[in-house]
Amino acid sequence: MSSRDHYHFDVVVVGAGHAGVEAALASARLGTKTALLTMSCDTVAQMSCNPAIGGVAKGQIVREIDALGGEMGRVIDATGIQFRMLNSGKGPAMHSPRAQADKKAYQFEMKWKVEQQENLSLRQELVEGIETHHGQVTGIRVAGGTVYHAPAVILTTGTFLKAIMHTGETTSEGGRAGEQSAHGMSGALLNLGFQLQRFKTGTPARINGRTIDFSKCVTQPGDEDPQPFSYLTEQIEQSQMDCHLTETTPEVHALIQANLSRAPMYTGQIESTGPRYCPSIEDKVVRFADKGSHQIFLEPEGRNTLEYYCNGISTSLPRDVQDRMIHLIPGLENADIMRFGYAVEYDFAPPTQLHATMETRRVAGLYFAGQLNGTTGYEEAAGQGLLAGINAALKVAGRDSFVLDRSQAYLGVLIDDLVTKGVDEPYRMFTSRAEYRMLLRQDNADRRLTPLGIDLGTVCHERAKSFRDYEKQVNRARAAITATRYQGNSLEEWLRRPEITWTDAEKMSPELAAMPLSRRCKRHVEVEVQYAGYIRRQEAEIAKLQKVDNVRIPESFNFAGIPQLRYEAREKLGRIRPETVGRASRVSGITPSDIAILMMYLKAGEYSQQPSD
Ligand SMILES: Cc1cc2nc3c(=O)[nH]c(=O)nc-3n(C[C@H](O)[C@H](O)[C@H](O)COP(=O)(O)OP(=O)(O)OC[C@H]3O[C@@H](n4cnc5c(N)ncnc54)[C@H](O)[C@@H]3O)c2cc1C
């Protein structure tokens, strides 16, 4: 590589966290010459907080990332130490895979994937500036002044922008314990006219497992039959490790109450908003004052370490209080604290400044993804990274952009929520955010998305072949249950009864039992038959809504020029500038009558005669 080539790329990704690695891999896999620049090559895909991937709604996102050719699912399958299907006793829309990760093994595996990827260069650099020309990004500047040139740049800087960590009264600069803060970037973004706001998040203490009395805890094993995340993983081969459960006590709560005056969240030292659904222990004790205890999951951080993560007691209390608190917890009386908990405050960029492609409205070719957009969670970050990487590569190649809608994927819900509604607290995914969750199941993400990945070119040959083979298998299974009859009814009719399972159907037909069908295929067809009524209803609803939803609003549309629109609607729509009528309808405070007026103008094409803003 000549020295000129060394600094000239099609796409530059800044930050190799969960968003950055997926962005860079997707871009490179689309044949785009890509650089991944990050503060330290030793922290690629580091889990800043809990050593786990997936969970409710997040597990579905990992499956979707996998179905589109992303890497998170394969890496956790290879390095996970405990696998569980959450909510398996509930309906199929709620089933959510989750795995404990071997934190270091996960990082090494992901770094290995990045290093092996053709068209991708991983470099250790601290990025300090963004280069633009006439509203178009042209590259970035790193510490020392060197410029990397590229027509597309994706920022995935996580919790590192002007980051301040808090433990009690003590504060220090850094996006993660032991790491630095990124200063230049906030200023660079403000100079380009972006708005920034502040959020906070926190993490609990880690303790040495040798000093835990597990006999006082409840053991929590993994599933006997662990299910992989990736559609390409046949089976989880490795052994599983146990987690353990303990809980806080009234003594712990009394100690926290007595020390609230030293908790940065309550002294006013931290003013920014944190994740409401993932509160610190001091927050739980205050908000749920009538509860006598809160659960604590003791989660191993890996196979080759005795470090345990105390899930449930994230805190920014001072060290001496954390010390006393930990030792009041059953099983942790003699625990040796390896790392204390802390909170971190950081800048994020309100995501209403983005198009649905993740490209910023203000600077062409500049994309934002991950926690920088006000989200929280590895999975949400990885999903955004994947979509930003795909879109940046498509744009550089002059191809059409790729946007998923709310009926296709949780990823569609995520991006739509971010760009239309914005965030007033760190955003995480919940199943309740998706209108069509019966369609967006973890078991069918490949059938929803892999064909799109094949068309785009993000999916490798192996995945495309495996998907086509699976489709054939599903079609054979469906044909067999439609054609085979038992006591006057088809097997499909039998399977529609909630009490009849695939195993029952196999007993009714030896031919069906003899068919070489995978367990996944049987379960998949069983679910689709049993829930066919719901699925049809949701599909009909989508078809009806899509007619209006997908009507595009021209970029130059002058909302202020519609006198019939209420002032609030004119102001909000003018500020957020939704790209479709569907997005406009989801902006908070917009009413059906606002949409009816908007539709009238769009249909009549009056917008073209309006004076522009
Ligand atoms: C203390 C703490 C507690 C957390 N608690 C939770 C929690 O309870 N639940 C939860 O879901 N999530 C939690 N998170 C958030 C979770 O870690 C993030 O959601 C996720 O890691 C975001 O991924 P990302 O890729 O956007 O950013 P990150 O994983 O933060 O990665 C950002 C990357 O960018 C690099 N970088 C930043 N700036 C620059 C620069 N200028 N130049 C070069 N490289 C740069 C960094 O080195 C890093 O590698 C917590 C994070 C922290 C730090």
Side-chain angles (χ1 to χ4, degrees):
M1 199 183 268
S2 73
S3 78
R4 185 184 182 281
D5 283 354
H6 199 75
Y7 297 112
H8 282 78
F9 289 87
D10 296 323
V11 172
V12 167
V13 180
V14 180
H18 305 279
V21 290
E22 294 291 355
L25 286 167
S27 163
R29 285 171 181 169
L30 285 170
T32 314
K33 189 183 167 199
T34 306
L36 176 56
L37 311 182
T38 198
M39 273 189 203
S40 166
C41 288
D42 293 328
T43 57
V44 172
Q46 175 151 319
M47 296 184 189
S48 315
C49 195
N50 61 326
I53 295 288
V56 178
K58 291 165 173 268
Q60 283 86 328
I61 291 183
V62 181
R63 288 268 160 106
E64 292 178 358
I65 293 170
D66 183 69
L68 284 168
E71 218 41 71
M72 185 171 245
R74 290 222 271 185
V75 173
I76 187 62
D77 284 348
T79 59
I81 54 181
Q82 190 199 77
F83 293 79
R84 294 178 64 207
M85 185 62 77
L86 305 184
N87 289 332
S88 54
K90 298 189 180 167
M94 299 302 287
H95 297 183
S96 306
R98 181 183 189 277
Q100 290 300 141
D102 181 321
K103 213 162 168 172
K104 280 286 157 200
Y106 183 93
Q107 272 182 261
F108 279 119
E109 182 72 13
M110 191 62 93
K111 183 168 176 245
W112 176 240
K113 300 271 182 189
V114 167
E115 288 164 343
Q116 282 182 311
Q117 181 61 49
E118 242 180 89
N119 300 322
L120 180 54
S121 300
L122 174 66
R123 310 258 176 93
Q124 183 160 307
E125 300 277 18
L126 174 62
V127 177
E128 292 191 326
I130 302 167
E131 303 285 310
T132 62
H133 184 67
H134 294 315
Q136 159 72 47
V137 80
T138 55
I140 53 86
R141 192 169 21 80
V142 300
T146 301
V147 171
Y148 280 73
H149 303 271
V153 169
I154 307 173
L155 293 192
T156 68
T157 46
T159 51
F160 286 74
L161 298 196
K162 273 180 58 196
I164 309 234
M165 295 182 289
H166 302 256
T167 304
E169 301 84 358
T170 314
T171 58
S172 56
E173 287 191 358
R176 208 158 42 195
E179 293 178 53
Q180 58 184 317
S181 172
H183 279 291
M185 293 306 282
S186 289
L189 291 172
L190 290 171
N191 284 340
L192 288 170
F194 288 101
Q195 282 173 35
L196 297 179
Q197 291 175 12
R198 279 178 88 69
F199 274 162
K200 73 120 196 167
T201 186
T203 196
R206 276 49 157 194
I207 52 189
N208 187 327
R210 178 176 52 78
T211 60
I212 300 176
D213 183 351
F214 289 114
S215 70
K216 293 188 178 163
C217 307
V218 177
T219 305
Q220 199 185 44
D223 287 348
E224 274 178 20
D225 181 15
Q227 300 295 304
F229 277 86
S230 173
Y231 294 100
L232 279 183
T233 309
E234 295 269 313
Q235 216 174 325
I236 300 297
E237 308 279 357
Q238 65 269 35
S239 63
Q240 299 204 58
M241 292 177 74
D242 290 337
C243 292
H244 290 85
L245 187 59
T246 180
E247 59 187 11
T248 57
T249 61
E251 291 72 38
V252 172
H253 297 189
L255 174 75
I256 293 171
Q257 284 283 4
N259 284 281
L260 282 179
S261 59
R262 298 178 64 203
M265 274 183 57
Y266 291 92
T267 57
Q269 186 177 313
I270 294 181
E271 288 179 347
S272 40
T273 313
R276 188 165 32 104
Y277 36 80
C278 192
S280 62
I281 187 62
E282 47 270 35
D283 222 5
K284 288 189 211 176
V285 166
V286 172
R287 273 167 50 194
F288 311 106
D290 51 331
K291 275 197 89 173
S293 68
H294 295 281
Q295 287 187 322
I296 306 169
F297 293 91
L298 301 173
E299 302 176 344
E301 294 234 338
R303 287 185 198 280
N304 300 308
T305 174
L306 284 173
E307 200 165 347
Y308 273 71
Y309 174 90
C310 305
N311 190 346
I313 49 169
S314 149
T315 185
S316 57
L317 282 161
R319 291 166 74 119
D320 59 297
V321 182
Q322 290 192 40
D323 209 11
R324 279 185 283 155
M325 171 177 90
I326 294 274
H327 295 133
L328 286 172
I329 294 168
L332 305 187
E333 293 86 350
N334 297 311
D336 194 8
I337 302 177
M338 294 174 69
R339 307 179 204 228
F340 284 93
Y342 64 95
V344 60
E345 278 187 292
Y346 54 93
D347 284 350
F348 76 95
T352 45
Q353 301 173 97
L354 301 177
H355 294 289
T357 56
M358 319 294 291
E359 187 177 18
T360 62
R361 292 169 186 274
R362 196 162 274 280
V363 177
L366 180 63
Y367 296 74
F368 293 167
Q371 190 117 353
L372 172 62
N373 287 335
T375 59
T376 175
Y378 313 134
E379 306 76 5
E380 289 84 346
Q384 290 172 64
L386 176 79
L387 295 174
I390 291 174
N391 275 309
L394 292 176
K395 181 161 189 191
V396 168
R399 292 172 57 190
D400 288 345
S401 56
F402 177 68
V403 175
L404 292 165
D405 72 37
R406 301 179 75 90
S407 65
Q408 286 175 297
Y410 273 94
L411 289 176
V413 175
L414 170 69
I415 306 301
D416 189 59
D417 279 350
L418 292 179
V419 305
T420 56
K421 295 184 183 147
V423 293
D424 49 19
E425 61 180 323
Y427 179 106
R428 71 151 282 182
M429 187 48 76
F430 295 110
T431 48
S432 56
R433 295 197 195 267
E435 299 83 343
Y436 310 114
R437 52 186 174 273
M438 198 56 223
L439 298 179
L440 308 187
R441 304 187 313 273
Q442 56 85 30
D443 65 286
N444 68 356
D446 58 341
R447 301 195 77 203
R448 290 184 274 123
L449 301 176
T450 299
L452 304 178
I454 294 173
D455 287 349
L456 280 169
T458 53
V459 160
C460 64
H461 293 305
E462 184 194 358
R463 186 183 294 275
K465 180 178 176 323
S466 143
F467 173 72
R468 290 191 183 111
D469 291 347
Y470 181 67
E471 280 293 285
K472 284 184 200 146
Q473 205 184 125
V474 169
N475 292 340
R476 275 202 313 275
R478 289 216 71 127
I481 56 167
T482 319
T484 314
R485 300 191 82 75
Y486 177 77
Q487 292 184 354
N489 288 325
S490 71
L491 294 185
E492 184 174 358
E493 283 161 338
W494 280 103
L495 274 170
R496 271 191 219 136
R497 303 180 183 185
E499 71 282 8
I500 301 293
T501 63
W502 190 274
T503 315
D504 298 322
E506 284 185 344
K507 285 183 194 142
M508 297 171 189
S509 160
E511 293 78 19
L512 185 71
M515 281 179 77
L517 300 173
S518 65
R519 207 183 65 155
R520 185 185 153 220
C521 169
K522 294 176 188 179
R523 179 67 190 133
H524 179 99
V525 177
E526 185 184 69
V527 166
E528 297 228 315
V529 172
Q530 279 176 351
Y531 291 86
Y534 289 103
I535 293 172
R536 260 199 308 276
R537 264 202 302 281
Q538 293 206 336
E539 282 171 347
E541 210 177 300
I542 291 165
K544 209 163 70 194
L545 282 175
Q546 262 173 354
K547 281 197 195 127
V548 178
D549 246 42
N550 292 342
V551 174
R552 293 201 69 77
I553 305 176
E555 182 97 42
S556 58
F557 191 78
N558 182 16
F559 294 100
I562 306 183
Q564 295 93 328
L565 268 185
R566 291 171 310 119
Y567 173 77
E568 184 197 352
R570 284 203 302 264
E571 188 277 319
K572 276 198 168 154
L573 294 173
R575 183 162 41 83
I576 293 174
R577 308 207 66 80
E579 287 149 330
T580 61
V581 172
R583 292 224 162 88
S585 70
R586 289 186 287 277
V587 170
S588 69
I590 297 302
T591 64
S593 65
D594 296 329
I595 296 301
I597 294 167
L598 184 61
M599 277 300 286
M600 221 168 63
Y601 270 77
L602 287 167
K603 257 197 212 145
E606 271 92 343
Y607 57 85
S608 55
Q609 289 141 36
Q610 292 178 301
S612 58
D613 284 287

